[in-house]
Amino acid sequence: MRWSIRACGRGARPVVHLNRNILLGGTLSLLFLGLAALSFFWTPFDVTRLDIPDKLQPPGGDHLLGTDHFGRDILSMIMMGARTSIAVAVLAVGIGIAVGVPLGLLAAARRGTLLDEVIMRGNDLVFAFPSLVIAILITAVFGASAVNAIIAIGIFNIPVFARLARGAALPIWERDFILAARVFGKSRLRISYEHILPNITNLMIVQGTIQFSLGILAEAALSYIGLGAQPPTASWGRMLADAQTLTAIAPHVALVPGLAIVLMVLGLNLLGDGLRDWLDPRIRVQRV
Amino acid sequence: MIRYLAKRLLSLTLSLIAASLVIFAVIEVIPGDPAAFMLGLNARPEAVEALRDQMGLNDPLFLRYLSWVGGLLTGDFGTSWTYKTPVAELVSDRIWVSLPLAVYALILSTLVAFPAGILAAARRGGLGDVSIMGATQLGVAIPNFWFAMILVLVFAINLRWFPSGGFPGWDDPLAALKSLTLPAIALALPQAAILARVMRSSLLDMLSEDFIRTARAKGLSRRQALWRHAVRNALIPVLTIIGLQFAFLLAGGIIIEQVFFLPGLGRLIFQSISARDLIVVESVVMLLVFTVIVVNFTVDLAYALVDPRLRSRG
Amino acid sequence: MTHFSKLLGASVLALSAGMATAQTDITVAIQLEPPNLDPTGGAAQAIDSVLYTNVFEGLTRFMADGSVVPGLAESWDISEDGLTYTFHLREGVTFHDGTTMDAEDVKFSLDRARAEDSTNAQKGLFTDIAEVTVIDPQTVEVKLAQQNGNFLFNMAWGDAVIVAPESIDTIASNPVGTGAFAFADWVQGDRIELTRNPDYWGTAPALDSATFRFISDPTAAFAAVMAEDVDAFVGFPAPENLPQFEADPRFQVLIGNTEGETILSINNKQEPFDNPQVREAIAHAIDRDALIDGAMFGYGTPIGTHFAPHNPDYVDLLDNSPYDPDRARALLAEAGYGDGFSTTLKLPPPSYARRGGEIIAAQLRDIGIDAEISNLEWAQWIEEVFTNKDFDLSIVSHTEPMDIGVYANPDYYFQYDNPDFQDLMDTLNATTDPATRSDLLAQAQTMIAKDYVNGYLFQLSVPTVAKAGLTGLWVDQPTAAVDLTGVAWSE
């Protein structure tokens, strides 16, 4: 769950694979986004109603993916859980971008100053904390809830985006058109906003996709240890926690939510890789 | 170089002070009175008060902070409230589970990732590359606790090749290794996937460097160039990742230690948080943060030695 | 299980039966690790689970059926006025460090427990003691300030065991008692080891050594038993797995009673729960059968009041609060909450509370009450719910034996304040005639049921899963204990 490592895995991927990644990843991601969206209007069964005599039904029959230990429909739970996972991950990434990118741009604009140093050392500091431990601490202090899970995950997204934004912004500051803008008397902040930001957007989108998938995994881990969204809100991690002791009696209860997590994360990662190759001009430059 | 070193040392110290303040602040606001918790439901208020006094919970905040940091500096980590033993002793017991587990997982992931990464780079675009890269995609997408659940079901309950959890101690090294195997595999899977990808891309970067082109122009085949020159040079970024992963594994096994009920550092933190044994939480988290900060510092320093250009970095 | 492993299991059994000596060690798992090893200084039940009767003994002791029998006191005399107890101690009892156990140790232990600065978690057990006097090394006299029909029962508790002044400083990490087993080693986070005490005063136990392991995670518990990593699991945390063990010839499953009345605690001083009609509505909203089936997979006995069904004085009051959602809705409407209301449900960690809470929340939602679940760690629960009474609803099992008396304390966390009940309890405490006591207890049970103080859910049962050849384990849990003195492997 070290959210930065994934970003180092940038590979030079053959051009022929580009569309396939975007296609496959996009399909998987859209599938879950669609399920989550659909759950606002319709689910096969009401997930807040318990039907205990109907518990642990195998897949097939009335319940396409079976029922859980309270007799709830697993497909409906997966749909509602997708909503929770996506909401938590998107908002956590949102925090990372909203705070991290301006910090990174600021650091780049004031390169070499004390401000830059403070921001970058602050980033190192956050990176130095074992993320899961801090997430557990945060939820232990403020109580377990989806909102606190978002904050806990979001905090660790801030340095990822700050570092990336600074790193991407620095070379742009050396370019001629920035020099031109400075000659015209534009302030550093205005240049950051008007010229630097548009040039690093693609990179942020790619990183955002990757962080999104890490957010899904982190949300699953937190709710697995009981620190994410609270019942009756469905969440994949808690479905897994509830299912743990049932693996030997009713394997589907543990397999279905696990597979949902794997497919969603896989989809987002493929999409991120595909988008990176497609959007990021630096990779293309490197290949020339 | 000396100026650079002094600057980095100063920032290292400031980081550690900031970290200690953050940890202390966060932990002090955790709700739940540890004294009331330890005495349970029928405790008389005066007994709770007596215990609070004994534990020093009634002292002013800054005094408690100073005595904690002062203790850390002199190697005195305090005494666990629940276990009533020195924290240093608890940590030194547990580190002999967490440290070997992290090393074991790292070895496993390296053993898998190196050949996989090299093979993928050598067969770039081929069937081997595509399937290895597909496998790594899957590897990073599988939640490790779920993978651990499946491992237990298959290898401990059904096949009974490995124990389902627990740790017998190092008196019997073979049994100890056996009980760390499933947890190490569960931890190693995503790390191996990441490492294989880094290995591959770093090799591919190397292959486009001038000295490889020169080597190939001299008549070496692509594979010969890869083996003779690229692998060695590609190791630098790979080793960085391994360093980072190691620090992560040391602390990040928290859930895996929970699944396999291993008496390691992660589980110690988790238990201490639920028992409100704040002195243990403070000290162990500080220790982990210290480790990461020092590892980062060392890596930075090593880079600066290798590549003087980095010293001017902001 | 495959046929092959069944065959293998059978042949292993046959093999061990053929050997001359039976197994003499045991690995017992319990859910929680003791935080320290001082039963007289900590509240954690796990301390007693490991040490009670095994390492430490009191003047009296509990047996598996809950009866109180002589322990370190061989016999006792009670004065006419019921205020003076003279205990005659057993001869030749030594602590594990070799020192003798005599009247001085008894006086030390009791005085220490009731002292001003004592951190004994059950100080209430000792409040009636006025003076402890050493008559001679084998005789100790305890004077009470007032009559206490429960005194011998109180002295059987794990918090009242006899400790030695010589070893008291290190008791938390190196407990020295008089029991059949001596403490050997504690690997924190993993296990505690005990070895047989060769100088034990009583019948020597069949086991040479015992290892306690601590597995709180239900999955890990299942895996550990299935993989035969442990010989017995007392208080198995996952009832859903019990049918599998029952069907497996390698294991036996014992379902025991506990003193744990599991209730939906209601804050009686908090609006709208100060209205009896609202509490009655909640009582009718609860479907106990679904709850026991869903949360406990069928293991548990429904209760209609705060009293253990296996107690001879128990009154069946289930008909007072049958599951009837229509009536519940009507009652809510009468009380002026026709549109329902929102409230909170604070849950401690055990699965009966977490799972039960989800089911109760769904059942309350059915009659229009929207209960928001909030999961708490024990420390938070004790502070917020128990100490500060900052809660609406909670679910908890009250595991102390015979604890209906807490309803007479208006400051107790659910804040039931009924002078009639308080008078009733005063009468009960001053009464010694068994028939009258029984009648008063029945009145007390009925009163709290009719007042719908709390939602009465079920009596918690304690499942023990053990290997097939193990005998002598306690089935019921009259107190927290894993008494190994009578445990043996059958041939």
Side-chain angles (χ1 to χ4, degrees):
Chain A
M1 226 151 304
R2 170 59 67 188
W3 350 91
S4 65
I5 286 176
R6 196 52 193 69
C8 306
R10 84 179 46 244
R13 184 170 287 274
V15 179
V16 279
H17 291 158
L18 290 186
N19 293 332
R20 201 180 57 195
N21 274 345
I22 294 184
L23 208 65
L24 187 59
T27 311
L28 279 172
S29 309
L30 278 178
L31 172 75
F32 284 101
L33 281 172
L35 281 177
L38 183 61
S39 77
F40 282 99
F41 310 103
W42 176 82
T43 52
F45 290 84
D46 177 2
V47 294
T48 58
R49 272 196 75 86
L50 313 186
D51 185 9
I52 287 157
D54 206 24
K55 69 183 173 197
L56 300 179
Q57 296 292 318
D62 279 354
H63 300 276
L64 194 60
L65 296 177
T67 60
D68 75 350
H69 60 299
F70 288 155
R72 290 175 295 198
D73 179 58
I74 291 183
L75 176 59
S76 310
M77 299 268 292
I78 290 290
M79 291 168 69
M80 301 293 280
R83 209 156 103 181
T84 313
S85 288
I86 291 169
V88 170
V90 164
L91 289 171
V93 173
I95 291 178
I97 292 178
V99 182
V101 172
L103 278 179
L105 288 178
L106 198 62
R110 298 268 178 251
R111 179 185 186 180
T113 62
L114 185 67
L115 183 70
D116 181 22
E117 180 75 9
V118 167
I119 291 174
M120 292 327 284
R121 290 302 143 237
N123 278 336
D124 288 349
L125 196 63
V126 177
F127 265 132
F129 280 89
S131 47
L132 191 61
V133 174
I134 298 307
I136 290 171
L137 270 182
I138 289 175
T139 44
V141 174
F142 302 105
S145 72
V147 174
N148 291 336
I150 292 168
I151 295 172
I153 301 169
I155 286 178
F156 289 94
N157 272 319
I158 295 173
V160 173
F161 286 101
R163 229 178 236 192
L164 198 66
R166 180 180 180 274
L170 284 180
I172 302 177
W173 275 100
E174 313 289 328
R175 306 250 291 266
D176 294 342
F177 70 99
I178 300 290
L179 280 176
R182 290 180 67 180
V183 170
F184 282 118
K186 282 192 183 178
S187 75
R188 280 173 170 265
L189 287 185
R190 196 158 156 216
I191 295 173
S192 290
Y193 177 74
E194 282 178 7
H195 301 290
I196 310 279
L197 189 59
N199 276 292
I200 63 169
T201 308
N202 285 348
L203 190 61
M204 296 303 131
I205 290 174
V206 171
Q207 192 63 38
T209 317
I210 302 296
Q211 294 306 118
F212 185 13
S213 84
L214 288 171
I216 301 271
L217 276 177
E219 191 276 336
L222 281 182
S223 54
Y224 170 78
I225 49 177
L227 300 176
Q230 297 297 297
T233 312
S235 93
W236 292 346
R238 217 185 47 257
M239 286 175 79
L240 275 181
D242 285 342
Q244 278 207 87
T245 52
L246 303 165
T247 42
I249 322 169
H252 69 279
V253 187
L255 286 177
V256 173
L259 283 175
I261 298 172
V262 172
L263 290 178
M264 171 101 209
V265 173
L266 186 64
L268 286 170
N269 281 341
L270 290 176
L271 186 65
D273 280 4
L275 283 177
R276 177 176 56 215
D277 296 344
W278 188 57
L279 288 175
D280 191 353
R282 293 193 311 158
I283 300 282
R284 277 192 210 143
V285 170
Q286 269 183 12
R287 273 198 206 111
V288 169
Chain B
M1 186 67 203
I2 288 176
R3 197 164 161 261
Y4 172 80
L5 190 67
K7 205 171 146 202
R8 290 312 317 261
L9 266 176
L10 180 70
S11 116
L12 175 86
T13 319
L14 289 176
S15 294
L16 287 174
I17 291 172
S20 73
L21 279 170
V22 169
I23 292 170
F24 188 77
V26 168
I27 284 167
E28 285 310 314
V29 293
I30 286 189
D33 181 349
F37 171 73
M38 284 164 68
L39 291 179
L41 291 191
N42 289 12
R44 303 273 157 134
E46 67 267 19
V48 174
E49 199 48 40
L51 191 63
R52 283 184 64 88
D53 254 348
Q54 268 180 33
M55 292 160 79
L57 284 172
N58 291 334
D59 296 344
L61 266 188
F62 83 100
L63 265 186
R64 290 168 58 194
Y65 174 75
L66 285 186
S67 80
W68 173 57
V69 172
L72 287 181
L73 290 177
T74 54
D76 173 14
F77 286 41
T79 303
S80 157
W81 294 335
T82 44
Y83 284 127
K84 297 191 175 149
T85 44
V87 177
E89 221 169 85
L90 283 177
V91 170
S92 64
D93 281 352
R94 308 267 178 140
I95 201 122
W96 288 110
V97 177
S98 294
L99 198 65
L101 177 62
V103 173
Y104 195 176
L106 211 56
I107 292 174
L108 283 183
S109 85
T110 312
L111 283 181
V112 174
F114 269 47
I118 293 171
L119 190 72
R123 303 271 160 82
R124 179 182 180 181
L127 188 65
D129 185 21
V130 172
S131 27
I132 286 172
M133 284 300 103
T136 61
Q137 285 285 10
L138 211 56
V140 289
I142 293 178
N144 59 10
F145 55 90
W146 185 63
F147 186 54
M149 277 163 66
I150 293 171
L151 287 177
V152 170
L153 188 67
V154 175
F155 294 103
I157 295 176
N158 286 335
L159 295 172
R160 297 174 65 183
W161 289 355
F162 297 98
S164 62
F167 186 71
W170 285 105
D171 298 341
D172 182 354
L174 204 67
L177 274 183
K178 227 175 144 183
S179 67
L180 290 182
T181 301
L182 292 185
I185 293 174
L187 271 177
L189 174 83
Q191 310 300 331
I194 293 168
L195 207 55
R197 295 178 76 84
V198 175
M199 185 78 198
R200 173 183 177 276
S201 61
S202 151
L203 276 174
L204 291 182
D205 285 351
M206 270 318 139
L207 286 176
S208 59
E209 293 272 341
D210 289 342
F211 68 94
I212 299 286
R213 289 186 199 179
T214 316
R216 291 205 58 188
K218 280 189 193 155
L220 285 178
S221 75
R222 187 182 157 82
R223 187 164 305 173
Q224 283 168 323
L226 183 87
W227 280 110
R228 290 201 191 154
H229 299 283
V231 170
R232 197 189 315 156
N233 287 294
L235 279 180
I236 295 167
V238 170
L239 287 176
T240 315
I241 296 292
I242 289 182
L244 281 174
Q245 285 190 346
F246 181 70
F248 160 75
L249 284 171
L250 204 55
I254 211 171
I255 296 188
I256 295 298
E257 285 179 7
Q258 200 72 5
V259 173
F260 291 93
F261 52 104
L262 293 172
L265 280 182
R267 196 146 161 268
L268 179 66
I269 296 180
F270 205 57
Q271 287 174 329
S272 306
I273 290 176
S274 19
R276 295 300 179 270
D277 197 345
L278 306 184
I279 189 82
V280 176
V281 183
E282 278 171 351
S283 301
V284 178
V285 172
M286 190 64 215
L287 185 76
L288 290 173
V289 172
F290 176 80
T291 312
V292 176
I293 290 181
V294 169
V295 165
N296 283 348
F297 174 73
T298 317
V299 168
D300 278 358
L301 218 57
Y303 273 158
L305 281 176
V306 174
D307 186 353
R309 278 175 304 172
L310 286 171
R311 283 177 219 162
S312 59
R313 184 175 74 104
Chain C
M1 193 171 64
T2 63
H3 285 288
F4 173 70
S5 59
K6 257 186 194 150
L7 210 64
L8 197 71
S11 58
V12 169
L13 269 183
L15 203 68
S16 59
M19 289 191 294
T21 48
Q23 192 181 344
T24 56
D25 62 335
I26 189 174
T27 303
V28 183
I30 57 177
Q31 285 188 39
L32 295 178
E33 177 172 23
N36 64 71
L37 300 180
D38 178 7
T40 64
Q45 289 203 348
I47 305 176
D48 282 343
S49 297
V50 176
L51 301 175
Y52 184 67
T53 71
N54 296 329
V55 173
F56 285 112
E57 299 169 303
L59 292 172
T60 57
R61 62 161 288 183
F62 289 114
M63 297 301 285
D65 61 357
S67 59
V68 175
V69 302
L72 292 176
E74 200 170 21
S75 63
W76 48 82
D77 309 312
I78 308 173
S79 67
E80 283 291 310
D81 59 4
L83 290 177
T84 308
Y85 285 69
T86 310
F87 291 97
H88 305 288
L89 306 180
R90 285 180 203 277
E91 301 262 357
V93 180
T94 56
F95 284 101
H96 301 137
D97 61 2
T99 57
T100 29
M101 192 289 298
D102 57 26
E104 290 292 347
D105 296 305
V106 175
K107 179 175 163 55
F108 170 78
S109 303
L110 295 183
D111 284 348
R112 175 173 172 266
R114 65 199 189 89
E116 192 81 3
D117 61 346
S118 155
T119 55
N120 193 300
Q122 303 288 342
K123 245 177 144 174
L125 296 175
F126 310 95
T127 43
D128 283 345
I129 298 179
E131 196 186 0
V132 184
T133 319
V134 175
I135 306 290
D136 65 53
Q138 299 309 125
T139 318
V140 66
E141 185 187 87
V142 180
K143 278 213 164 64
L144 301 186
Q146 58 186 43
Q147 278 199 5
N148 186 332
N150 281 332
F151 185 62
L152 292 170
F153 173 85
N154 288 353
M155 289 302 103
W157 283 52
D159 307 81
V161 295
I162 303 305
V163 294
E166 294 87 348
S167 52
I168 201 68
D169 289 340
T170 54
I171 186 171
S173 56
N174 183 23
V176 174
T178 55
F181 292 93
F183 168 78
D185 192 20
W186 181 12
V187 180
Q188 271 140 353
D190 193 50
R191 64 185 184 271
I192 289 175
E193 286 168 9
L194 309 179
T195 53
R196 176 168 33 199
N197 169 15
D199 303 319
Y200 186 53
W201 57 267
T203 318
L207 298 170
D208 278 335
S209 63
T211 304
F212 279 89
R213 284 180 63 186
F214 314 105
I215 306 171
S216 56
D217 183 81
T219 322
F222 172 72
V225 177
M226 258 306 170
E228 299 187 29
D229 294 342
V230 299
D231 299 317
F233 202 120
V234 178
F236 188 78
E240 56 271 40
N241 295 131
L242 295 175
Q244 271 171 287
F245 293 121
E246 273 169 348
D248 192 326
R250 291 180 296 158
F251 304 108
Q252 52 177 328
V253 176
L254 313 168
I255 305 293
N257 291 318
T258 68
E259 295 297 324
E261 292 86 13
T262 309
I263 63 172
L264 173 68
S265 320
I266 303 177
N267 190 341
N268 280 240
K269 286 256 167 74
Q270 179 78 37
E271 240 190 319
F273 305 107
D274 51 351
N275 183 338
Q277 274 180 319
V278 172
R279 299 200 302 265
E280 189 180 349
I282 289 175
H284 289 299
I286 297 167
D287 179 354
R288 295 187 184 88
D289 293 334
L291 179 69
I292 294 171
D293 190 20
M296 305 307 293
F297 285 74
Y299 297 93
T301 316
I303 52 171
T305 183
H306 196 110
F307 217 71
H310 53 85
N311 191 303
D313 291 325
Y314 174 73
V315 185
D316 185 347
L317 289 159
L318 284 170
D319 285 344
N320 185 54
S321 52
Y323 173 54
D324 188 347
D326 290 333
R327 200 161 137 202
R329 273 178 225 117
L331 280 163
L332 271 190
E334 261 179 65
Y337 294 98
D339 299 330
F341 57 87
S342 292
T343 186
T344 60
L345 176 57
K346 293 189 170 174
L347 303 173
S351 74
Y352 69 73
R354 295 281 167 91
R355 275 191 185 150
E358 280 196 64
I359 298 173
I360 295 275
Q363 291 176 353
L364 290 179
R365 205 177 304 124
D366 211 32
I367 65 160
I369 300 176
D370 182 23
E372 189 197 330
I373 288 178
S374 156
N375 289 334
L376 304 179
E377 293 292 341
W378 271 123
Q380 286 167 296
W381 188 89
I382 286 172
E383 176 158 309
E384 288 180 28
V385 177
F386 194 80
T387 311
N388 297 341
K389 295 148 196 146
D390 172 21
F391 77 109
D392 298 323
L393 301 170
S394 182
I395 293 177
V396 73
S397 204
H398 285 247
T399 51
E400 276 77 33
M402 281 291 291
D403 52 2
I404 195 171
V406 297
Y407 284 74
N409 174 5
D411 287 332
Y412 202 61
Y413 75 109
F414 44 71
Q415 306 190 85
Y416 171 58
D417 190 358
N418 181 349
D420 291 344
F421 188 87
Q422 289 151 23
D423 291 344
L424 194 63
M425 278 297 124
D426 286 343
T427 322
L428 179 74
N429 287 342
T431 309
T432 44
D433 174 51
T436 323
R437 279 184 70 92
S438 186
D439 183 50
L440 288 169
L441 280 172
Q443 283 181 39
Q445 292 176 51
T446 315
M447 196 180 288
I448 56 170
K450 297 273 188 217
D451 278 349
Y452 299 99
V453 182
N454 293 307
Y456 299 104
L457 308 177
F458 57 86
Q459 193 73 17
L460 201 64
S461 42
V462 55
T464 297
V465 185
K467 285 203 191 149
L470 210 55
T471 62
L473 283 166
W474 284 16
V475 177
D476 296 332
Q477 288 273 295
T479 186
V482 182
D483 181 0
L484 295 175
T485 53
V487 173
W489 292 94
S490 65
E491 292 291 308

